Short mmCIF file of all heavy atoms in Angstrom, two decimals:
data_model
loop_
_atom_site.label_atom_id
_atom_site.label_comp_id
_atom_site.label_asym_id
_atom_site.label_seq_id
_atom_site.Cartn_x
_atom_site.Cartn_y
_atom_site.Cartn_z
N PHE L 110 8.13 -19.54 11.71
CA PHE L 110 7.00 -18.74 12.24
C PHE L 110 5.78 -18.94 11.34
O PHE L 110 5.92 -19.01 10.11
CB PHE L 110 7.37 -17.26 12.29
CG PHE L 110 6.37 -16.42 13.01
CD1 PHE L 110 6.45 -16.26 14.38
CD2 PHE L 110 5.35 -15.80 12.32
CE1 PHE L 110 5.53 -15.46 15.05
CE2 PHE L 110 4.41 -15.01 12.97
CZ PHE L 110 4.50 -14.85 14.35
N SER L 111 4.63 -19.03 11.96
CA SER L 111 3.37 -19.06 11.22
C SER L 111 2.31 -18.31 12.02
O SER L 111 1.98 -18.72 13.13
CB SER L 111 2.90 -20.50 10.98
OG SER L 111 1.58 -20.49 10.46
N SER L 112 1.80 -17.27 11.46
CA SER L 112 0.72 -16.54 12.16
C SER L 112 -0.57 -17.32 12.06
O SER L 112 -1.46 -17.18 12.90
CB SER L 112 0.55 -15.14 11.57
OG SER L 112 0.20 -15.21 10.21
N LEU L 113 -0.68 -18.18 11.06
CA LEU L 113 -1.90 -18.97 10.87
C LEU L 113 -2.11 -19.98 11.98
O LEU L 113 -3.19 -20.06 12.55
CB LEU L 113 -1.86 -19.68 9.52
CG LEU L 113 -3.12 -20.44 9.11
CD1 LEU L 113 -4.28 -19.47 8.93
CD2 LEU L 113 -2.88 -21.24 7.85
N ASN L 114 -1.06 -20.73 12.34
CA ASN L 114 -1.25 -21.74 13.37
C ASN L 114 -0.50 -21.45 14.67
O ASN L 114 -0.48 -22.26 15.58
CB ASN L 114 -0.85 -23.13 12.84
CG ASN L 114 0.61 -23.24 12.50
OD1 ASN L 114 1.46 -22.49 12.95
ND2 ASN L 114 0.93 -24.23 11.65
N GLY L 115 0.14 -20.27 14.75
CA GLY L 115 0.79 -19.85 16.01
C GLY L 115 2.19 -20.43 16.21
O GLY L 115 2.79 -20.19 17.26
N LEU L 116 2.70 -21.14 15.24
CA LEU L 116 4.05 -21.69 15.37
C LEU L 116 5.08 -20.58 15.58
O LEU L 116 5.13 -19.62 14.82
CB LEU L 116 4.43 -22.47 14.09
CG LEU L 116 5.86 -23.00 14.03
CD1 LEU L 116 6.07 -24.10 15.04
CD2 LEU L 116 6.18 -23.49 12.62
N GLY L 117 5.84 -20.68 16.64
CA GLY L 117 6.93 -19.76 16.89
C GLY L 117 6.59 -18.44 17.56
O GLY L 117 7.45 -17.60 17.75
N VAL L 118 5.33 -18.24 17.92
CA VAL L 118 4.92 -16.97 18.50
C VAL L 118 5.66 -16.72 19.82
O VAL L 118 6.21 -15.63 20.03
CB VAL L 118 3.39 -16.89 18.71
CG1 VAL L 118 2.99 -15.68 19.55
CG2 VAL L 118 2.68 -16.85 17.37
N GLN L 119 5.69 -17.71 20.69
CA GLN L 119 6.36 -17.52 21.99
C GLN L 119 7.87 -17.33 21.82
O GLN L 119 8.47 -16.50 22.50
CB GLN L 119 6.05 -18.69 22.92
CG GLN L 119 4.61 -18.66 23.38
CD GLN L 119 4.29 -19.82 24.31
OE1 GLN L 119 4.96 -20.84 24.32
NE2 GLN L 119 3.24 -19.65 25.10
#
Side-chain angles (χ1 to χ4, degrees):
F110 189 87
S111 170
S112 60
L113 185 65
N114 64 22
L116 174 68
V118 170
Q119 290 180 338

